[in-house]
Amino acid sequence: MAGNSRRKGAMRKPGTKKGAVTGSGGQKSKGLEGKGPTPRATMRPGHPAQRRAAAQQKQQQRRAAAKDKPTSELVAGRNPVVECLRAMVPTMALYVQLGVDADERVTEAVRLAADRGISVLEVAKPELDRLTGGALHQGLALQMPPFEYAHPDELLAAAQDSSEPALLVALDGVTDPRNLGAVIRSAAAFGADGVLLPQRRSAGITAVAWRTSAGTAAKIPVAVATNLTRTLRQYAAEGLMVVGLDADGSITVDDLSLATSPLVVVVGSEGRGLSRLVREACDETVSIPMSAGVESLNASVAAGVVLAEVSRRRRVAGRT
């Protein structure tokens, strides 16, 4: 009909209202707001830049894991090899260059290795050059296995199980493997239950440390702490007193009354001594009286002096 304003097909469904419809101009226009700035290419999943960044991160993680994982060490040179074998350093194999001039050191190295059941492998000079990274090997090289460090909790358990008051030695920033080996030797000589090293800024058990320790590194557990200060505080919470060696100590070794208590002796590095946080974790700091005009003792000698005094006081206490 001409008077009907509704066109065919435009009938509304029951329950609907006449009004604006959903769309860019309707009441829900806010639902079409943007999602913010476009992420960087390295943050977009599937983007080539993101894949490259992920691959690079995985490679860095693998390198970090390989760095933390102990690896075997190769000792090169006739004198170092003979010294290691004499010191009973754990050894996997002795490499001898084919056609090498067999002087008394080569002869002794082969004999010592054979007596201990160590494999003696003859290799060509190019192969020995490759194995030693081009070092001056003089026809001899010795392969050491990775050193097996203990956990700090194992040191604490060993100290608490001992019939004597606990005695642990901790090193703070000692980076010379010779000093480390000498401290280990003194610790073993004066009855310490173990030696604690920080994970960073510290020497590790290398062939040099082994030789300097005269083999005692095999007789006393050596542990590595991820955080030295936190581990010292943990030991203190378990009843151990913490004493740090410091040139400006609060007391001298003559007044070390804590010697007969369960004890951790902390040895600082030459030069800077104890780090600030480690010093704050100490119950006392101890100095060694010395003649005027004499330079301070190095770390290993200072450790030996204090450990000897601790041992003496404990012997005296045991007799009374």
Side-chain angles (χ1 to χ4, degrees):
M1 296 176 63
N4 192 349
S5 60
R6 290 185 182 177
R7 60 184 175 85
K8 188 177 180 179
M11 294 181 65
R12 293 192 300 272
K13 295 180 180 180
T16 61
K17 293 182 179 180
K18 184 178 180 181
V21 297
T22 301
S24 61
Q27 294 176 347
K28 297 185 178 181
S29 60
K30 294 182 180 180
L32 300 179
E33 290 180 356
K35 297 181 179 180
T38 303
R40 291 181 298 175
T42 55
M43 303 296 291
R44 294 183 227 164
H47 193 282
Q50 188 272 336
R51 290 197 295 267
R52 287 194 297 269
Q56 185 178 9
Q57 183 179 8
K58 288 182 179 179
Q59 186 177 17
Q60 290 174 347
Q61 291 173 346
R62 286 194 297 267
R63 288 176 179 173
K67 184 178 180 181
D68 293 338
K69 185 179 180 180
T71 57
S72 60
E73 180 184 3
L74 213 64
V75 180
R78 298 186 182 188
N79 285 336
V81 165
V82 172
E83 288 174 9
C84 284
L85 289 169
R86 288 174 180 170
M88 302 295 289
V89 171
T91 303
M92 298 169 63
L94 172 65
Y95 293 96
V96 182
Q97 179 183 315
L98 284 167
V100 68
D101 293 332
D103 63 5
E104 66 277 2
R105 292 171 296 177
V106 174
T107 302
E108 182 180 1
V110 173
R111 178 178 57 79
L112 290 172
D115 290 345
R116 290 175 53 188
I118 298 169
S119 299
V120 179
L121 308 175
E122 289 188 299
V123 295
K125 185 178 183 301
E127 177 64 10
L128 195 54
D129 291 340
R130 185 190 66 80
L131 289 170
T132 58
L136 183 62
H137 52 72
Q138 300 173 303
L140 282 184
L142 200 66
Q143 187 174 18
M144 294 174 53
F147 184 80
E148 295 185 5
Y149 293 96
H151 189 276
D153 291 347
E154 295 179 65
L155 296 192
L156 182 61
Q160 292 174 335
D161 290 343
S162 174
S163 58
E164 301 293 330
L167 178 58
L168 298 174
V169 180
L171 276 66
D172 178 25
V174 175
T175 57
D176 187 341
R178 293 176 180 81
N179 272 335
L180 170 58
V183 170
I184 291 174
R185 187 172 183 177
S186 294
F190 296 115
D193 299 296
V195 176
L196 180 68
L197 310 178
Q199 189 175 49
R200 300 168 62 185
R201 294 186 295 275
S202 174
I205 304 298
T206 63
V208 174
W210 263 109
R211 293 202 306 271
T212 311
S213 76
T216 55
K219 302 176 182 178
I220 184 170
V222 179
V224 174
T226 304
N227 185 304
L228 180 60
T229 304
R230 185 168 60 236
T231 302
L232 291 176
R233 295 190 187 281
Q234 176 191 345
Y235 287 172
E238 293 291 335
L240 277 68
M241 307 302 293
V242 182
V243 172
L245 307 191
D246 192 278
D248 300 320
S250 56
I251 62 171
T252 68
V253 69
D254 298 335
D255 302 318
L256 184 56
S257 59
L258 292 176
T260 55
S261 304
L263 195 64
V264 183
V265 176
V266 188
V267 184
S269 65
E270 303 88 347
R272 70 180 183 91
L274 299 173
S275 62
R276 179 181 61 85
L277 292 177
V278 168
R279 184 183 290 107
E280 291 174 356
C282 294
D283 296 293
E284 286 184 339
T285 53
V286 183
S287 64
I288 300 173
M290 296 177 59
S291 300
V294 178
E295 293 185 3
S296 61
L297 302 173
N298 71 20
S300 61
V301 175
V305 170
V306 173
L307 289 172
E309 176 63 13
V310 170
S311 179
R312 184 192 70 80
R313 285 177 177 256
R314 291 185 174 192
R315 288 196 306 273
V316 171
R319 292 196 293 265
T320 57

